[in-house]
Amino acid sequence: MPAGRPTIYTKELAERICELVATHTIGIKALCKMYDDLPDQHTIKQWRQKNLEFSTLYDIAKQFQAQLLVEECEDLIPLDIKTYFDDAGNERYDPVSATLIKEKIAHRRWMAARLAPKVYGDRQTIEQTVTVKHEDALKELE
């Protein structure tokens, strides 16, 4: 039997893909390269288009991925900022290192807002429910 990537959709494979998406901060292209048991990224994109159940599971996995991206922001700051000592012996932050961290965080926030806009998006939505009884409306007309 020839070895290769699976191309037949199964619920188990769909759940595995979604589990990997939900537990990694990398995209589907990188995941497919990392895990040989996954189908090609184009196959997964077709499944998302054609299979409502898989599309829903995948969207939920992406929301979890958004949470991971946001959590990573907290981990970036103390580890990656480089410091140096100036001529007076004062410890200073390296501006290039700090800018790089700032950009990494901005990118993760942007990704999180796209993956889970209701939670991390910039737009604010206000929902309001109004209940009107017919009797009350008729009394106002009198």
Side-chain angles (χ1 to χ4, degrees):
M1 178 178 213
R5 293 181 172 257
T7 57
I8 299 173
Y9 178 86
T10 65
K11 186 174 181 175
E12 293 78 20
L13 183 56
E15 288 173 354
R16 168 131 170 87
I17 292 166
C18 292
E19 178 186 342
L20 291 172
V21 168
T23 57
H24 290 77
T25 57
I26 58 178
I28 196 66
K29 182 178 181 179
L31 283 173
C32 289
K33 286 181 181 179
M34 189 183 298
Y35 295 95
D36 290 336
D37 62 327
L38 298 184
D40 181 74
Q41 65 168 328
H42 300 292
T43 301
I44 293 172
K45 289 177 183 179
Q46 287 176 345
W47 290 354
R48 288 178 58 201
Q49 231 178 1
K50 295 177 182 178
N51 187 317
L52 181 61
E53 179 185 16
F54 178 66
S55 181
T56 302
L57 287 173
Y58 193 87
D59 288 345
I60 293 168
K62 289 304 259 184
Q63 290 176 13
F64 279 102
Q65 189 178 60
Q67 292 173 3
L68 292 178
L69 287 167
V70 170
E71 289 171 6
E72 264 189 1
C73 291
E74 296 171 4
D75 298 336
L76 286 174
I77 296 171
L79 299 176
D80 292 343
I81 295 183
K82 295 176 176 54
T83 59
Y84 67 95
F85 291 95
D86 63 12
D87 295 337
N90 299 316
E91 187 175 18
R92 303 282 184 194
Y93 289 116
D94 174 46
V96 175
S97 172
T99 300
L100 181 61
I101 296 301
K102 183 178 175 184
E103 291 303 316
K104 282 182 178 181
I105 290 171
H107 177 71
R108 281 167 175 76
R109 289 180 62 206
W110 181 85
M111 287 290 296
R114 298 312 166 275
L115 294 172
K118 288 183 180 179
V119 178
Y120 300 110
D122 296 332
R123 290 188 181 163
Q124 199 176 46
T125 57
I126 299 171
E127 294 182 21
Q128 184 176 11
T129 304
V130 178
T131 304
V132 178
K133 294 182 181 178
H134 294 292
E135 297 84 16
D136 294 338
L138 288 174
K139 285 181 185 175
E140 287 184 22
L141 288 176
E142 293 175 358

